[in-house]
Amino acid sequence: MKIAILPGDGIGTEIVAQAERVLAALDLRFETEHALVGGAAYEAHGHPLPEATLALAKAADAVLFGAVGDWKYDKLERALRPEQAILGLRKSLGLFANFRPAICYPELTAASSLKPELVGGLDILIIRELTGDIYFGQPRGRRSAPDGAFTGAEEAFDTMRYTRPEIERIAHVAFKAAQKRSKRLTSVDKANVLETFQFWKDVVTEVHAQYPDVALDHMYVDNAAMQLVRAPKKFDVVVTGNMFGDILSDEAAMLTGSIGMLPSASLDAHGKGLYEPSHGSAPDIAGRDLANPLATILSVAMMLRFTLNQPEAAARIEQAVQAVLASGLRTADIWAEGGTKVGTRQMGDAVVAALTTKKAITKS
Ligand code: IPM
Ligand code: MG
């Protein structure tokens, strides 16, 4: 099995380095190969997703991705901006199913912006469609307005669209995920206004006929945004389109205390995946040993479970992370009174140490 490692920009390199140490501590044999992506790749090769990086990602069984982006690239033409690297990887690799779990660890309840009783024990799974919707719909661009009250004025436009097969396949993924959990699925749409999302709702409802054991409900996205902060524990599995999923997954992340804790998996139709923390490149804290590596370390656990078929190793990482949290170590983003503040590297050290101890115990 080969893992492509694409650390990217900002804190990406620091957090991926810790995740790699954790992977190495597992004593499993994987081939790894590194490549530049995002702003780092633009600096070196003039493109955020160079051919060689894309070829490596395609050839590998799994991709471990850090983060891309820096404000200094905001003025570049869109095709050269770091964000195009992750969008290009998702599209070129057909990674249509994005799993974003939002779990509130008991030790971190106090770090949430919501009352402890609302988030304690929270464990929801947002499944975001990742290769369609207004993110990729054509046509898009700028032009002179062809009609309306402002005919002839400069305008910009994007196209929101979904085909039936795109909705069907993400619906199947979501129903199957719900079957493995509490058998409840919420489909989030904007069917009251948008044609695209009336279609989404209709198709999800049709697919539901094949999963009679799952209870399906539908919710408008504005209401879902509200319910997520009103009573988040009422959700279990949520499925939605690319743009609504982008927004709701950041909202859900914050319920858990810090986006620095949340891993994600982006899967194709055959279980190949790209694994990345849900957070971005945080250029403001890059290179200062401040970033929380746990989201990336937990992304390695997802990679072991979903693509590399090593569920025991995945569970070992998750247990090690829990042990470290229980011991009171905290990076700045999850620190609260009473915790021991540590940097990126020390947090990595602690997870590696917890893994090694666990191993010693199981072996004896
Ligand atoms: C995410 C990010 C990306 C997105 C950006 C970096 C293109 O916000 O993964 O949620 O919008 O999908
Ligand atoms: Mg986002």
Side-chain angles (χ1 to χ4, degrees):
M1 289 281 199
K2 180 163 181 173
I3 306 171
I5 302 193
L6 314 181
D9 306 323
I11 59 171
T13 46
E14 295 164 75
I15 54 181
V16 167
Q18 299 312 315
E20 286 190 70
R21 293 177 61 215
V22 169
L23 191 62
L26 290 170
D27 292 333
L28 297 168
R29 293 229 173 276
F30 300 114
E31 199 190 324
T32 57
E33 191 174 332
H34 291 74
L36 294 176
V37 76
Y42 173 76
E43 301 286 351
H45 306 292
H47 197 279
L49 183 57
E51 278 302 322
T53 302
L54 182 58
L56 170 66
K58 279 186 175 161
D61 298 289
V63 180
L64 180 63
F65 188 93
V68 290
D70 193 311
W71 301 298
K72 70 182 179 207
Y73 303 114
D74 283 358
K75 294 243 153 55
L76 283 178
E77 63 172 283
R78 183 168 304 281
L80 296 178
R81 288 191 208 161
E83 291 76 13
Q84 292 306 308
I86 185 65
L87 295 173
L89 282 166
R90 289 170 182 171
K91 195 68 177 176
S92 311
L93 273 56
L95 306 170
F96 70 92
N98 184 211
F99 284 64
R100 296 193 166 182
I103 295 171
C104 187
Y105 292 89
E107 295 84 3
L108 300 185
T109 318
S112 173
S113 43
L114 294 194
K115 295 191 195 97
E117 62 271 28
L118 285 185
V119 291
L122 180 76
D123 179 357
I124 62 187
L125 173 61
I126 296 188
I127 298 182
R128 168 188 177 194
E129 198 291 326
L130 205 57
T131 52
D133 203 353
I134 196 165
Y135 267 57
F136 293 98
Q138 293 291 342
R140 55 187 281 164
R142 293 193 186 203
R143 64 184 172 192
S144 139
D147 49 30
F150 296 97
T151 305
E154 188 184 8
E155 77 169 8
F157 64 104
D158 297 275
T159 304
M160 178 176 272
R161 60 187 293 180
Y162 265 122
T163 58
R164 173 178 285 276
E166 286 174 294
I167 305 171
E168 284 175 351
R169 65 182 181 177
I170 193 72
H172 283 292
V173 166
F175 281 114
K176 289 191 176 115
Q179 280 180 326
K180 291 194 194 138
R181 294 173 51 114
S182 72
K183 299 190 164 54
R184 288 184 297 117
L185 176 64
T186 304
S187 171
V188 172
D189 62 57
K190 189 69 189 174
N192 51 343
V193 178
L194 301 170
E195 209 55 53
T196 314
F197 275 90
Q198 180 62 57
F199 186 49
W200 171 282
K201 183 174 182 178
D202 295 345
V203 174
V204 172
T205 305
E206 281 174 44
V207 174
H208 184 208
Q210 298 174 48
Y211 301 89
D213 56 330
V214 176
L216 170 70
D217 68 334
H218 303 274
M219 201 179 273
Y220 297 142
V221 63
D222 49 348
N223 186 27
M226 180 172 76
Q227 299 304 331
L228 264 177
V229 286
R230 196 185 73 93
K233 284 194 255 180
K234 293 219 167 124
F235 293 96
D236 188 49
V237 182
V238 174
V239 64
T240 190
N242 202 347
M243 181 148 80
F244 299 157
D246 178 45
I247 300 166
L248 293 180
S249 62
D250 264 26
E251 187 189 3
M254 211 49 232
L255 305 178
T256 70
S258 171
I259 197 167
M261 291 299 301
L262 296 188
S264 82
S266 306
L267 304 176
D268 75 359
H270 315 287
K272 171 171 174 165
L274 179 148
Y275 298 85
E276 58 173 325
S278 285
H279 60 74
S281 54
D284 52 331
I285 61 162
R288 293 165 56 197
D289 197 42
L290 282 174
N292 184 348
L294 293 178
T296 317
I297 290 170
L298 290 166
S299 297
V300 170
M302 288 186 98
M303 176 164 83
L304 289 160
R305 184 170 285 120
F306 286 123
T307 299
L308 302 175
N309 205 17
Q310 297 281 350
E312 290 89 14
R316 278 180 58 206
I317 293 182
E318 287 156 356
Q319 283 157 13
V321 167
Q322 269 165 22
V324 169
L325 290 175
S327 78
L329 298 194
R330 302 283 184 268
T331 42
D333 58 311
I334 51 174
W335 185 84
E337 208 62 51
T340 312
K341 210 180 257 183
V342 294
T344 311
R345 195 178 166 87
Q346 277 174 291
M347 190 55 113
D349 289 342
V351 177
V352 169
L355 266 177
T356 333
T357 326
K358 277 262 155 48
K359 192 167 57 187
I361 293 167
T362 15
K363 272 187 185 155
S364 65

